[in-house]
Amino acid sequence: MLFKENLRLGELLIANNIISDIQLEQALSQHQKVGEFLGRTVVKMGIASEEEVLPLLSKKLKISYIQIKKLTIPPDVIKKVPAKFACHYELIPIKLEGKVLTVALTDPSNLEFIDDLTLLLGYKINPMLAGELDIMKGLKKYYGIGAETIEEMMKQTSQTEAIKATEPLTDNIEELATDASIIKFVNQILLEAYRDRATDIHIEPYEDELRIRYRIDGILHDAKVPKSVKHFREALVSRIKIMASLNIAERRMPQDGRIKVKIGNTDLDLRISVLPTPFGESVNIRLLSSNIFLGLETLGLCPRHLQILESVIHKPHGIILLTGPTGSGKTTTLYACLSKINDNDKKIITIEDPIEYQLRGISQIQVLPKIDLTFARGLRSMLRHDPDIMMVGEIRDFETAETTIRTALTGHLVFSTLHTNDAAGAMTRLLDMGTEAYLLASSLECVIAQRLLRVICEDCKEIVKDSAIQKKSLEIPKETKIFMGKGCEKCRWTGFKGRTAIHEILVINDDIRELIIKRTSANIIRNKAISQGMKTLRQDGLDKVCKGITTIEEVLRVTQQEER
């Protein structure tokens, strides 16, 4: 690193090839408008990172630079600075030695501020320079999401005895639910989940704690929240119920609702499910973005699978089934198929539970069991509207299965989903429901099994050494390079960022129809399809391993039920 004391920060950044002359001019222009540190302006504009700018700035100011993410700070040191104070002034206590408290700040050269800290905290302050982003992540790690909000609510309550007890605060829950602090805390939870790319938020009450978890890339992660949040669990649930227009007085029965919120330019549709448990109500919030919609080409289909799928979705009639567990992306794939064939000369109607995305040009119906609007009943009514293509959210019973089959036999193309482990299992599942084998064989056109697996993080991707044994056992060519994610900040140290789908597509031909009519077992149908060229879920996953998209371990985890 090149450093000369007589050079200004901008000149030092240019001398070290961190920014260009043009970038410095742009940064100086912005710096003069907002009146903040030039270094902070450079980082905010995305011209350079904190790790590049701050070491130079620390030498210039003759103040030590520290990276909080590389530290493990003792809890007793964190307690020396209240959460509200730390969050408001954007600082983190690092260590305490006698009466000297080392504190990480974004602006340690502000002597007046240092004097104020000394007076407020009662310690001699040893300031150190840290990045703003680093401090914000440290605040979340050591104090928890919304720590200052929870701390303020704890101070405001006069129920001292209740706070000391293990039971949550239960008085005036309705009032607490509309309090500015609890509203702010719920918003912080939602915002944090969105920023972390979470698909679900789980709020789970236990005897002595309230656990909040985010599902990110299919895996649950604990959200760091203050332990004292357990005292406000009923107020938290009531706030979510109010947002979803649910009955806050009803705590014995499950309830479902939805909330529409806007974060930046993104519209989020939140699906709320509330369940009663012995220690309070458990809440699940599913985050759906109306701005995100996938086409067939972006679903992770290999070229052969894409060609097969584009062929079958243009058939004039028949049933196309998607199978897989909850959360495997079946609905997203169905929507992508419908979007592909949606044009002005076709009438498309769907019946779903729930309607996850609004599709332009398609009539969508929501299942309402309370008024007996079931899949089967809705499907029969849909026929009176002369549709060309229909989608049934899920085949759950004999009535729905039979109506779907008869609809397909009368010249309609029907899409639906089924919960089975593989494509071949769909036939035996429908036969077990009581459908006639010859009708099923005549109507079924294609079954697609789908799973989601995590994608290796591009920022920490590296070649795996000593993978020869795994390659041999899985019949992967020796020369193939196998990759993995080492783990970094951008992927939350998991080595994965984002997900893609793997598929098993079973096209129903004459041989398979004959096996269905004979009510043959799923294993025999599956083996017959494989002999005719069907690629299994595991084979499709291993192809993605060979392309460096995912890891062997991830494929084995997702397809562990395949080997029977």
Side-chain angles (χ1 to χ4, degrees):
M1 180 186 292
L2 176 64
F3 180 78
K4 292 182 180 179
E5 289 190 13
N6 60 333
L7 293 180
R8 294 179 178 180
L9 178 61
E11 295 169 332
L12 286 171
L13 292 171
I14 291 173
N16 284 274
N17 296 317
I18 295 173
I19 65 173
S20 66
D21 291 327
I22 296 173
Q23 288 174 326
L24 177 58
E25 287 180 18
Q26 294 171 343
L28 285 171
S29 176
Q30 182 66 16
H31 158 70
Q32 290 168 358
K33 289 179 184 177
V34 296
E36 62 183 2
F37 257 150
L38 175 62
R40 183 179 291 186
T41 303
V42 168
V43 172
K44 282 186 176 180
M45 291 178 68
I47 298 172
S49 67
E50 289 181 340
E51 288 78 6
E52 292 173 317
V53 174
L54 296 186
L56 289 170
L57 181 60
S58 74
K59 285 193 173 186
K60 182 71 180 171
L61 298 175
K62 296 182 180 179
I63 296 174
S64 300
Y65 167 59
I66 191 167
Q67 287 185 288
I68 298 165
K69 63 185 177 183
K70 294 182 178 180
L71 302 177
T72 301
I73 306 171
D76 57 334
V77 174
I78 293 294
K79 289 178 182 177
K80 299 299 178 185
V81 180
K84 185 178 180 180
F85 193 88
C87 294
H88 180 73
Y89 292 105
E90 294 184 3
L91 61 88
I92 290 185
I94 302 299
K95 62 181 177 180
L96 180 63
E97 295 172 321
K99 285 291 183 180
V100 179
L101 181 65
T102 300
V103 176
L105 304 163
T106 56
D107 185 8
S109 63
N110 189 334
L111 299 179
E112 186 178 340
F113 179 53
I114 301 299
D115 290 339
D116 290 343
L117 285 181
T118 302
L119 182 64
L120 289 166
L121 298 176
Y123 294 100
K124 184 180 179 182
I125 301 299
N126 174 33
M128 298 187 80
L129 176 66
E132 184 178 9
L133 295 175
D134 198 17
I135 286 178
M136 297 309 292
K137 288 178 181 178
L139 289 171
K140 186 173 71 173
K141 177 181 177 181
Y142 291 107
Y143 287 98
I145 302 165
E148 76 284 8
T149 308
I150 295 297
E151 186 176 81
E152 184 64 26
M153 287 193 291
M154 293 292 288
K155 284 181 180 178
Q156 287 176 358
T157 182
S158 59
Q159 311 254 349
T160 309
E161 291 77 19
I163 292 173
K164 291 179 180 177
T166 57
E167 291 300 312
L169 301 178
T170 56
D171 292 343
N172 299 319
I173 292 300
E174 287 81 358
E175 292 180 17
L176 272 173
T178 55
D179 181 78
S181 296
I182 200 70
I183 291 172
K184 181 181 178 183
F185 181 71
V186 171
N187 291 343
Q188 287 171 318
I189 291 291
L190 295 175
L191 182 60
E192 191 65 28
Y194 171 74
R195 286 175 175 169
D196 284 347
R197 301 178 296 105
T199 54
D200 293 86
I201 304 170
H202 297 269
I203 301 172
E204 305 160 328
Y206 296 98
E207 187 175 7
D208 57 353
E209 69 171 323
L210 182 68
R211 191 179 189 188
I212 298 179
R213 296 191 287 174
Y214 297 152
R215 188 176 292 280
I216 303 169
D217 294 335
I219 305 296
L220 284 172
H221 299 269
D222 281 311
K224 178 74 175 178
V225 292
K227 289 184 178 180
S228 52
V229 73
K230 66 184 180 182
H231 298 299
F232 303 94
R233 63 191 181 196
E234 292 188 25
L236 177 60
V237 173
S238 293
R239 173 59 193 163
I240 294 169
K241 282 184 175 182
I242 288 170
M243 292 174 71
S245 300
L246 300 178
N247 184 358
I248 64 172
E250 178 56 75
R251 298 173 187 170
R252 302 164 301 169
M253 294 289 291
Q255 294 188 67
D256 295 308
R258 62 191 297 176
I259 306 167
K260 285 188 177 291
V261 297
K262 192 177 183 71
I263 298 179
N265 295 322
T266 303
D267 292 316
L268 286 183
D269 193 359
L270 310 181
R271 299 302 164 84
I272 313 299
S273 179
V274 183
L275 290 175
T277 74
F279 303 108
E281 290 174 292
S282 177
V283 180
N284 179 72
I285 304 174
R286 173 156 288 186
L287 289 77
L288 299 169
S289 173
S290 58
N291 296 350
I292 298 174
F293 189 75
L294 300 176
L296 279 182
E297 297 77 10
T298 58
L299 292 178
L301 291 157
C302 67
R304 180 165 170 265
H305 281 167
L306 182 60
Q307 184 180 4
I308 294 171
L309 190 54
E310 286 189 334
S311 173
V312 296
I313 65 176
H314 285 95
K315 285 183 176 288
H317 53 75
I319 300 173
I320 298 172
L321 283 178
L322 260 87
T323 75
T326 301
S328 59
K330 299 188 298 296
T331 304
T332 301
T333 300
L334 282 178
Y335 283 160
C337 291
L338 292 178
S339 182
K340 183 77 173 179
I341 58 180
N342 181 22
D343 52 43
N344 290 332
D345 63 355
K346 290 186 178 71
K347 171 75 172 180
I348 303 176
I349 307 178
T350 74
I351 180 162
E352 307 168 55
D353 185 23
I355 298 170
E356 293 193 8
Y357 299 99
Q358 301 289 339
L359 299 178
R360 184 178 177 83
I362 294 176
S363 301
Q364 295 173 272
I365 305 169
Q366 169 71 54
V367 168
L368 294 170
K370 289 181 180 179
I371 59 171
D372 198 31
L373 177 53
T374 61
F375 282 118
R377 186 169 185 176
L379 189 54
R380 286 195 298 270
S381 299
M382 286 157 59
L383 285 169
R384 301 188 190 106
H385 285 252
D386 188 31
D388 299 290
I389 299 163
M390 288 181 282
M391 185 185 97
V392 183
E394 184 184 345
I395 297 176
R396 298 175 180 173
D397 50 43
F398 167 71
E399 189 182 6
T400 307
E402 184 185 41
T403 309
T404 302
I405 289 171
R406 295 194 181 278
T407 300
L409 290 172
T410 55
H412 300 87
L413 184 63
V414 185
F415 292 85
S416 192
T417 69
L418 200 64
H419 287 283
T420 61
N421 290 329
D422 58 14
M427 277 73 86
T428 53
R429 176 86 175 91
L430 288 169
L431 291 171
D432 288 343
M433 284 184 184
T435 60
E436 293 289 347
Y438 73 94
L439 293 177
L440 178 61
S442 301
S443 59
L444 199 58
E445 291 293 338
C446 177
V447 183
I448 305 159
Q450 179 170 304
R451 299 289 188 280
L452 294 179
L453 45 75
R454 294 177 292 172
V455 173
I456 299 170
C457 174
E458 290 294 332
D459 293 287
C460 58
K461 193 174 184 178
E462 62 180 18
I463 296 175
V464 178
K465 298 176 182 178
D466 304 323
S467 60
I469 297 174
Q470 279 187 312
K471 287 180 184 178
K472 187 176 181 180
S473 63
L474 296 170
E475 299 180 357
I476 296 174
K478 288 183 181 180
E479 64 276 7
T480 304
K481 291 181 180 180
I482 305 297
F483 293 87
M484 66 172 288
K486 186 179 180 182
C488 64
E489 271 190 274
K490 292 186 178 179
C491 63
R492 297 172 62 97
W493 306 100
T494 61
F496 298 97
K497 188 176 180 182
R499 287 190 290 178
T500 189
I502 53 174
H503 302 88
E504 178 179 283
I505 301 182
L506 197 166
V507 178
I508 311 301
N509 55 29
D510 291 340
D511 293 333
I512 301 297
R513 292 186 204 282
E514 190 175 333
L515 293 177
I516 295 172
I517 291 171
K518 293 178 181 178
R519 305 181 75 90
T520 311
S521 69
N523 279 338
I524 295 175
I525 293 174
R526 183 172 185 270
N527 292 334
K528 183 67 175 178
I530 291 172
S531 71
Q532 294 179 342
M534 183 184 79
K535 186 188 290 187
T536 67
L537 285 167
R538 179 164 292 185
Q539 288 169 345
D540 194 27
L542 291 176
D543 283 351
K544 285 180 168 57
V545 170
C546 295
K547 292 175 182 176
I549 296 170
T550 190
T551 66
I552 291 175
E553 292 75 16
E554 181 67 5
V555 172
L556 297 180
R557 178 185 72 85
V558 171
T559 63
Q560 58 185 339
Q561 292 181 336
E562 184 175 310
E563 298 302 313
R564 293 193 289 262

